[in-house]
């Protein structure tokens, strides 16, 4: 199945990601990169994060997790509602196979990052150098070395620094981490068959692409 990726911006060093259901900063460049990285893929988010954004993210299948049917579904019929994490993963898999995408993104907030943490193989973390700020949502995953013996679970693929500008309230750093041992998810084909469009043909093409990516040694977990 497609690989789970994620993307988050958090304060450094306190790891705050939100306050009163809003982002604590304005970082235009970071948002532009978020858009570039996630467009064309399915995105999974919590009901509260959707409400903080206020509308579906364009050019992405928006999957919203909520334990009860959200009232805003009527206003935005293109949204996909998932009542539990398993349904969210299933919808992300189906949408990724239809669009031919090798990955989907978990985009928050606090609760949803925790729910999907174990599946994430690739994550872009923006450390925002805003000093100590107040917040009520955090992303506390630690990517550091736990002890000298053990190898880190995460490898740094890239690190890029961005200055404070007219459009970016604080300087920030984006680090791309990939899991040393990717988490693979599988489904039995029968789960997907009998759906529209014709999944037999779609799956065949999708499997061929996965195999091609592997034989080309392309990193489709990025
Ligand atoms: N800085 C960043 O990169 C970033 C990214 C995203 C969000 N944020 C911030 O994070 C904050 C929101 O985070 P949050 O933790 O409060 O809310 P959230 O994770 O966005 O959404 C929580 C909601 O998701 C649903 N949910 C959670 N676990 C579920 C499960 N197992 N099954 C079904 N539904 C489930 C529940 O909805 P119901 O109550 O409807 O059942 C729950 O109230 C905001 O401040 C936002 O701005 C920051």
């Amino acid at each position: 199945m497609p690989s789970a990726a994620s993307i988050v911006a958090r304060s450094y060093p306190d790891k705050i990601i939100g306050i009163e259901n809003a982002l604590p900063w304005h970082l235009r460049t970071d948002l532009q990169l978020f858009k570039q990285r996630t467009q064309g893929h399915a995105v999974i988010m919590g009901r509260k994060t959707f409400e903080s954004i206020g509308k579906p993210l364009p050019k992405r299948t928006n999957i919203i997790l909520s334990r009860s049917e959200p009232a805003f579904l009527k206003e935005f019929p293109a949204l996909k509602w998932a009542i539990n994490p398993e349904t969210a993963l299933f919808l992300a898999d189906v949408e990724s196979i239809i669009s031919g995408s090798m990955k989907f993104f978990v985009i928050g907030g606090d609760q949803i990052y925790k729910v999907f943490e174990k599946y994430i193989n690739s994550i872009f973390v923006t450390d925002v150098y805003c000093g100590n700020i107040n917040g009520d949502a955090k992303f506390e995953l630690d990517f550091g070395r736990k002890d000298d013996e053990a190898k880190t679970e995460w490898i740094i693929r890239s690190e890029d620094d961005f200055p404070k500008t007219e459009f970016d309230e604080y300087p920030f750093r984006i680090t791309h981490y990939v899991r040393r041992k990717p988490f693979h998810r599988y489904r039995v084909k029968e789960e997907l068959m009998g759906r529209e469009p014709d999944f037999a043909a779609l799956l065949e093409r999708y499997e061929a692409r996965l195999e091609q990516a592997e034989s080309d040694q392309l990193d489709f977990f990025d």
Side-chain angles (χ1 to χ4, degrees):
M1 284 296 112
S3 184
S6 190
I7 190 159
V8 64
R10 65 183 181 185
S11 70
Y12 183 88
D14 298 333
K15 302 179 178 169
I16 285 167
I17 63 165
I19 181 157
E20 291 171 0
N21 220 20
L23 293 177
W25 42 69
H26 293 285
L27 300 173
R28 193 165 89 172
T29 308
D30 191 50
L31 288 178
Q32 282 169 342
L33 289 167
F34 170 87
K35 184 170 151 185
Q36 279 173 25
R37 288 185 169 123
T38 56
Q39 276 192 344
H41 306 287
V43 293
I44 298 177
M45 73 187 95
R47 190 259 306 160
K48 292 186 183 170
T49 292
F50 177 79
E51 286 178 347
S52 81
I53 299 170
K55 58 180 173 34
L57 294 170
K59 299 184 185 163
R60 282 148 281 193
T61 299
N62 289 231
I63 300 166
I64 316 298
L65 257 166
S66 173
R67 293 185 179 88
S68 51
E69 186 172 347
F72 53 70
L73 275 189
K74 290 190 182 69
E75 193 184 346
F76 304 111
L79 292 178
K80 308 256 177 225
W81 164 45
I83 198 166
N84 53 37
E86 296 70 36
T87 306
L89 287 174
F90 185 76
L91 291 170
D93 289 347
V94 167
E95 292 298 323
S96 301
I97 292 166
I98 290 172
S99 66
S101 169
M102 299 287 128
K103 64 184 169 189
F104 60 85
F105 281 88
V106 174
I107 62 162
D110 184 337
Q111 291 183 37
I112 273 22
Y113 288 128
K114 287 191 181 100
V115 168
F116 292 101
E117 197 178 289
K118 65 173 184 253
Y119 300 115
I120 304 299
N121 289 324
S122 153
I123 178 163
F124 292 91
V125 179
T126 301
D127 283 309
V128 185
Y129 301 122
C130 56
N132 299 110
I133 53 163
N134 290 325
D136 51 24
K138 288 187 124 186
F139 179 82
E140 295 189 284
L141 187 62
D142 181 13
F143 298 93
R145 195 174 276 272
K146 289 200 181 81
D147 56 63
D148 289 341
E149 312 264 302
K151 281 192 164 178
T152 50
E153 207 176 332
W154 297 90
I155 299 166
I156 294 179
R157 180 59 59 83
S158 64
E159 260 179 331
D160 296 293
D161 287 310
F162 298 82
K164 174 183 165 145
T165 66
E166 191 187 337
F167 306 109
D168 298 310
E169 201 180 346
Y170 302 107
F172 57 96
R173 167 177 291 188
I174 300 181
T175 309
H176 182 198
Y177 297 93
V178 291
R179 206 183 275 282
R180 191 181 293 275
K181 290 186 184 157
F183 186 95
H184 294 277
R185 293 179 310 107
Y186 300 88
R187 283 189 192 284
V188 286
K189 282 184 184 170
E190 286 66 28
E191 273 187 89
L192 299 157
M193 293 302 174
R195 304 175 65 89
E196 291 294 332
D198 176 8
F199 256 73
L202 277 175
L203 265 178
E204 207 170 298
R205 237 177 301 152
Y206 197 71
E207 280 173 341
R209 284 195 64 183
L210 282 173
E211 274 166 25
Q212 186 65 40
E214 276 177 339
S215 70
D216 289 353
Q217 297 194 318
L218 294 176
D219 191 349
F220 55 91
F221 296 106
D222 275 4

